[in-house]
Amino acid sequence: MSLINDKLNLLRSQLLTGAHAGGALLVIYPPEEELSFRAGYEEVIQELKAQGVQIAVLDFRTLVFDSLKERNLLERAFKLDAEGSPDARRSLASLVQREAVAKIQQAAKGNPNVILLCKHTAALFPWISYSALLEAIEGKITNTLVIPFPGTENGPALHFLGVKDGYNYRAARI
């Protein structure tokens, strides 16, 4: 719990003081601390709002289902996933990656000063690579982007919920 508090305090400090303007911040925390992290992160969000900081909260909790439902693919995706179709998994991962990038770009559009705070990033497991997401938005937004990252660090490599996510991150790590 102390590790989570330390990370959230550092995040809070950087966002309130403007010490980290622009770019991405990965807040890396142990996956088993997900509930503690969520509670503390919500407090940070409420404090930023109370302080008048311009923020946009991007909730990824239902992104996968909403994207499939919008395309009338939800039932088909369930069926193909149950069959273990590797093509379906690749297609779904590609869809989720594109939709997450689009959600971030849409929130940033027209307001480069708003801090983009992602929520429920674990809900995108195993369909997303955050290193690929950061690469896709690099140079396209100037906002500060905060990504909670339930995972572990192993040198330059990060593991998102136990799966290697990449190592070429264009983000500061907290």
Side-chain angles (χ1 to χ4, degrees), residues 2-154:
S2 169
L3 173 71
I4 297 293
N5 288 336
D6 292 347
K7 288 182 178 266
L8 289 169
N9 286 334
L10 181 57
L11 175 65
R12 177 185 290 111
S13 172
Q14 288 191 9
L15 296 178
L16 284 172
T17 64
H20 189 86
L25 291 169
L26 283 177
V27 185
I28 304 163
Y29 60 93
E32 61 272 12
E33 296 291 336
E34 178 71 21
L35 294 178
S36 296
F37 178 83
R38 279 188 202 175
Y41 189 55
E42 189 59 41
E43 288 177 13
V44 170
I45 290 169
Q46 295 309 317
E47 185 175 347
L48 292 170
K49 285 180 182 178
Q51 295 289 329
V53 177
Q54 292 183 44
I55 64 170
V57 178
L58 309 176
D59 191 338
F60 289 119
R61 182 183 358 213
T62 62
L63 184 113
V64 175
F65 295 103
D66 292 345
S67 299
L68 289 169
K69 192 173 181 182
E70 182 178 298
R71 291 165 177 76
N72 293 319
L73 295 173
L74 190 57
E75 294 303 320
R76 184 165 185 238
F78 282 140
K79 182 179 182 245
L80 290 171
D81 187 51
E83 293 170 358
S85 169
D87 289 336
R89 290 177 189 217
R90 280 191 296 276
S91 294
L92 184 55
S94 178
L95 172 70
V96 170
Q97 196 78 32
R98 282 192 316 270
E99 291 296 316
V101 168
K103 187 172 187 129
I104 290 167
Q105 289 177 327
Q106 183 63 34
K109 191 177 184 178
N111 194 349
N113 298 321
V114 69
I115 296 172
L116 306 174
L117 298 158
C118 299
K119 272 178 66 170
H120 302 289
T121 53
L124 300 182
F125 179 82
W127 313 114
I128 195 162
S129 163
Y130 284 104
S131 62
L133 180 136
L134 291 169
E135 188 176 320
I137 64 166
E138 185 177 28
K140 294 187 175 125
I141 69 167
T142 57
N143 306 70
T144 298
L145 173 67
V146 178
I147 300 175
F149 191 96
T152 56
E153 293 180 86
N154 186 7

Side-chain angles (χ1 to χ4, degrees), residues 160-174:
F160 179 58
L161 291 169
V163 176
K164 188 172 181 184
D165 187 72
Y167 60 88
N168 193 17
Y169 286 90
R170 311 269 199 278
R173 297 178 186 188
I174 293 180

